[in-house]
């Protein structure tokens, strides 16, 4: 742990006795007091870490709230994002996902069950390929499949794939769902494909997501695997807030 980090030193000095803090301290004296405090009270390190984590969480919550406020239209209504379920639904569920994410595959039936149970859910997919080159290839192929009107079929087939998404498996599944492979490869280079992925990267960072799947439902940010029951609860909460 680097005790030279200013914010960490501030957190530690906040836990020192007031008389010590009251002294006019130079940098070397601060380090000396910090190390002395740690030797005498080792638990002070964990307290300092807790202070920093709390501060970081608070700062992140502010950024997340601001992102939801200022980027809501882009998050929910980006014309460059695939929409499943009811395009005119009264509640929008946004899922950030990766075709090589095992938890995304596990959550697939939970999302399908939500769509089956609630005909007024609008599902927006954000392709967020963060698990290697195969993920990027799969995301580009899925987005390109829109040009042939087969995003839905390709997406569900990819999510049902048991192996890793790589170029060979992606193209095999593309052929199985009836895509023109030559056209698909050409459409994968379209600027809107790269733009979608870049936007997903930007939004996920601003929302504080660090893994897939991650959901946005109303004011709720939900990282990780989630069951249908919780999805339904969040959808109803968002629906009530919109009334």
């Amino acid at each position: 742990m680097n005790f030279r980090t200013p914010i960490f030193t501030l957190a530690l000095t906040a836990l020192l006795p007031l008389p010590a803090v009251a002294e006019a301290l130079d940098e070397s004296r601060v380090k000396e007091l910090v190390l002395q405090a740690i030797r005498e009270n080792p638990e002070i390190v964990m307290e300092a870490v807790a202070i920093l984590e709390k501060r970081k969480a608070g700062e992140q919550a502010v950024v997340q709230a601001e992102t939801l406020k200022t980027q809501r239209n882009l998050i929910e209504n980006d014309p460059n994002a695939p929409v499943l379920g009811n395009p005119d639904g009264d509640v929008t569920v946004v899922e950030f996902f990766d075709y090589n994410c095992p938890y995304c595959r596990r959550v697939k039936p939970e999302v399908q069950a939500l769509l089956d149970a609630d005909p007024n859910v609008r599902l927006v997919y954000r392709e967020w390929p963060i698990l290697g080159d195969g993920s990027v290839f799969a995301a580009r192929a899925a987005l390109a499949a829109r040009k042939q009107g087969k995003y839905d079929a390709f997406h569900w087939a990819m999510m049902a794939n048991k192996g890793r998404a790589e170029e060979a498996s992606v193209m095999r599944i593309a052929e199985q769902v009836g895509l023109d492979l030559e056209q698909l490869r050409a459409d994968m280079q379209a600027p809107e494909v790269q733009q979608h992925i870049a936007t997903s990267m930007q939004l996920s960072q601003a929302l504080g997501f660090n893994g897939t799947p991650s959901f946005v439902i109303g004011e709720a940010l939900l990282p990780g695997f989630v069951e249908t029951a919780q999805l339904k609860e969040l959808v109803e909460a968002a629906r009530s807030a919109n009334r």
Side-chain angles (χ1 to χ4, degrees):
M1 185 173 294
N2 182 5
F3 296 119
R4 294 183 180 181
T5 305
I7 193 170
F8 185 84
T9 302
L10 285 173
L12 279 172
T13 54
L15 296 169
L16 292 172
L18 288 177
V21 179
E23 296 179 18
L25 304 176
D26 60 18
E27 183 178 353
S28 62
R29 180 59 175 154
V30 169
K31 292 177 182 177
E32 182 182 338
L33 286 171
V34 167
L35 290 173
Q36 180 183 342
I38 292 172
R39 291 189 190 102
E40 295 176 354
N41 304 283
E43 68 276 5
I44 200 173
V45 175
M46 297 309 298
E47 292 181 44
V49 170
I51 290 173
L52 294 178
E53 289 180 344
K54 185 176 181 180
R55 181 182 299 176
K56 182 179 179 180
E59 292 171 350
Q60 186 178 66
V62 171
V63 173
Q64 290 171 331
E66 184 65 17
T67 300
L68 284 175
K69 179 180 178 181
T70 61
Q71 301 296 319
R72 173 75 67 183
N73 190 55
L74 179 61
I75 293 169
E76 295 186 346
N77 300 304
D78 182 3
N80 194 26
V83 177
L84 280 66
N86 182 352
D88 300 315
D90 62 350
V91 174
T92 297
V93 173
V94 184
E95 180 184 353
F96 290 72
F97 74 97
D98 184 308
Y99 285 113
N100 276 318
C101 167
Y103 295 102
C104 295
R105 294 177 184 175
R106 279 185 58 200
V107 86
K108 166 183 170 279
E110 309 297 329
V111 173
Q112 285 182 311
L114 172 68
L115 296 180
D116 291 341
D118 192 332
N120 284 317
V121 168
R122 179 174 174 269
L123 176 62
V124 173
Y125 271 129
R126 293 237 56 109
E127 302 271 350
W128 187 24
I130 56 176
L131 297 175
D133 293 342
S135 295
V136 174
F137 189 91
R140 295 181 75 92
L143 293 166
R146 294 177 297 178
K147 289 285 186 70
Q148 299 183 49
K150 290 186 177 293
Y151 179 88
D152 295 30
F154 182 77
H155 171 80
W156 295 123
M158 283 295 302
M159 279 299 176
N161 179 42
K162 300 299 183 183
R164 182 170 173 80
E166 301 288 359
E167 181 174 351
S169 59
V170 168
M171 296 309 289
R172 182 182 68 250
I173 291 171
E175 185 175 23
Q176 289 172 353
V177 300
L179 283 160
D180 181 314
L181 301 189
E182 185 176 350
Q183 181 184 342
L184 184 70
R185 286 189 181 274
D187 291 338
M188 286 171 65
Q189 307 309 313
E192 58 266 26
V193 168
Q194 182 55 39
Q195 182 58 52
H196 174 98
I197 294 173
T199 300
S200 294
M201 297 294 182
Q202 293 163 5
L203 288 174
S204 60
Q205 182 177 9
L207 292 168
F209 293 147
N210 55 24
T212 54
S214 290
F215 296 86
V216 179
I217 307 175
E219 299 300 316
L221 301 179
L222 193 66
F225 174 82
V226 58
E227 295 182 344
T228 304
Q230 188 175 2
L231 289 172
K232 288 180 178 179
E233 289 178 6
L234 293 172
V235 165
E236 285 305 318
R239 183 170 285 139
S240 297
N242 291 335
R243 287 174 184 154

